[in-house]
Amino acid sequence: QVGVWINAATAMLGMLALVHITLMETAEANSLQRDIERGMARREFFLVFQPQVQADGKVVGAEALLRWRHPQLGMVSPGDFIPVAEESGQILPLGSWVLQEACQTLQRWARTPAMDGVSLSVNVSAKQFLQPDFVGQIASAMQQHGVVAARLKLELTESMLVHDMSDIIAKMHSLHTLGVGCSLDDFGTGFSSLSYLKKLPLDQIKIDQAFVRDVLTDPSDAAIARAVLQLGENLGLAVIAEGVETEGQRDFLLANHCRLFQGYLYSRPLAAIDFEMYVADNSAM
Ligand code: C2E
Ligand code: CA
Ligand code: CA
Ligand code: CA
């Protein structure tokens, strides 16, 4: 009898604790949502640029990564606010801002001889990509800033492939026609089946840093990295490795025919002006 009562009480307490945590998380998300709203109005967001380089060190592009300088919390990681913005729908205005900012940056680069030819990859959330007029938004942002299409690339994640595939394929074809390349981000971490790969008009796949990290010590990560590189080669897709931190990792990838690299070994994400300097310093290879 007492035992049953104690069990019931314990279960109740557990439930209460759960409700408490959920409430706290909701409150936290609500206040973050308000802060994102205010942050957009007050220009607290900005982009940083991480070099994407060839084996010889020459910079061919950058990934644009969103940053938030919160007036009280300091720098908030996109890992913390992007999920909140995706949940609330704020990723739509935030994502449009990122695209505008990226196109403006490309416009500036086109006027700088040393930067002309450097491409810019922008992360796009599933919610953004699934908007009916997404391709139209891209086209008008490019037109507004006179951006040469081949310079703009989109990084899409596998997670969006659970949605209407024919819609996704149609959009990617339209982007392709516009000259905008698509890269499949975080490849290997999602649920996508390999058969999708041949249906999608992709230009590039990105080996996730989860596989790069232990490529020298974990034989299955090494096997996955090698398999992705071979797949790219056979399907005629460029493969870029992200999260490359050591020469050992780079040498392994290079030996397996990887041609594009991104990671702290080369550079952390940089402010625009520092990225432009990085390109100048690494152009005469
Ligand atoms: P991601 O697209 O997979 O971006 C790569 C992340 O790895 C970035 O984190 C980058 O700073 C970090 N990184 C780069 N090189 C290395 C390395 O050598 N070692 C390690 N450990 N990490 C490295 P970040 O900037 O914190 O971004 C986190 C995620 O937030 C991104 O993951 C992306 O999913 C999302 N994100 C960032 N900016 C945007 C954006 O503008 N729009 C959307 N929708 N998502 C974004
Ligand atoms: Ca990315
Ligand atoms: Ca990734
Ligand atoms: Ca990721």
Side-chain angles (χ1 to χ4, degrees):
Q1 275 272 311
V2 173
V4 170
W5 191 84
I6 288 174
N7 276 343
T10 316
M12 277 287 280
L13 273 178
M15 255 165 60
L16 279 178
L18 211 73
V19 168
H20 181 65
I21 288 169
T22 315
L23 279 179
M24 278 199 328
E25 281 178 351
T26 318
E28 217 172 278
N30 279 339
S31 85
L32 259 192
Q33 259 180 54
R34 273 195 306 276
D35 288 4
I36 291 172
E37 188 79 43
R38 188 209 53 207
M40 282 193 279
R42 295 191 191 167
R43 308 197 129 267
E44 291 166 8
F45 292 92
F46 61 100
L47 293 180
V48 289
F49 303 87
Q50 188 174 35
Q52 300 183 322
V53 307
Q54 289 177 352
D56 64 1
K58 186 179 188 297
V59 184
V60 293
E63 177 176 7
L65 292 157
L66 191 55
R67 292 290 177 268
W68 184 14
R69 196 181 287 108
H70 188 288
Q72 283 88 39
L73 303 174
M75 292 296 285
V76 184
S77 154
D80 292 324
F81 69 81
I82 295 279
V84 174
E86 281 175 342
E87 187 63 31
S88 68
Q90 288 168 308
I91 194 65
L92 298 183
L94 203 51
S96 303
W97 180 84
V98 169
L99 271 167
Q100 289 292 330
E101 193 72 11
C103 286
Q104 208 170 310
T105 304
L106 278 171
Q107 185 178 35
R108 201 178 62 241
W109 289 354
R111 294 197 223 100
T112 320
M115 300 302 293
D116 196 18
V118 175
S119 68
L120 188 55
S121 297
V122 173
N123 291 285
V124 174
S125 289
K127 243 190 193 155
Q128 256 180 297
F129 191 81
L130 294 170
Q131 291 170 98
D133 65 334
F134 178 74
V135 178
Q137 284 176 39
I138 298 280
S140 70
M142 288 195 320
Q143 199 177 17
Q144 204 181 319
H145 295 96
V147 167
V148 180
R151 302 286 180 267
L152 182 66
K153 291 190 175 147
L154 305 180
E155 294 196 3
L156 314 173
T157 58
E158 270 184 304
S159 63
M160 77 171 62
L161 301 183
V162 301
H163 297 89
D164 180 3
M165 280 297 280
S166 59
D167 173 58
I168 292 167
I169 292 171
K171 281 187 173 127
M172 283 175 68
H173 272 297
S174 310
L175 288 166
H176 208 83
T177 309
L178 274 177
V180 177
C182 291
S183 177
L184 195 55
D185 205 355
D186 301 346
F187 185 72
T189 61
F191 303 99
S192 77
S193 96
L194 291 179
S195 65
Y196 284 168
L197 271 189
K198 69 171 188 204
K199 291 190 200 141
L200 296 171
L202 281 168
D203 302 272
Q204 187 182 68
I205 44 187
K206 205 164 187 183
I207 307 179
D208 193 67
Q209 53 186 320
F211 305 118
V212 174
R213 191 176 306 123
D214 300 321
V215 90
L216 294 178
T217 50
D218 184 333
S220 34
D221 285 345
I224 291 170
R226 235 187 264 118
V228 175
L229 284 160
Q230 253 163 41
L231 199 67
E233 209 162 288
N234 295 335
L235 294 176
L237 298 170
V239 180
I240 182 166
E242 74 174 1
V244 181
E245 294 183 351
T246 68
E247 287 179 357
Q249 291 166 342
R250 194 242 349 249
D251 292 345
F252 174 92
L253 293 161
L254 201 53
N256 288 284
H257 310 296
C258 189
R259 294 287 168 262
L260 292 168
F261 308 84
Q262 184 183 342
Y264 297 164
L265 174 65
Y266 302 93
S267 171
R268 301 217 161 224
L270 300 168
I273 186 165
D274 296 320
F275 174 69
E276 285 157 32
M277 243 144 65
Y278 184 94
V279 173
D281 290 345
N282 292 277
S283 58
M285 292 279 160

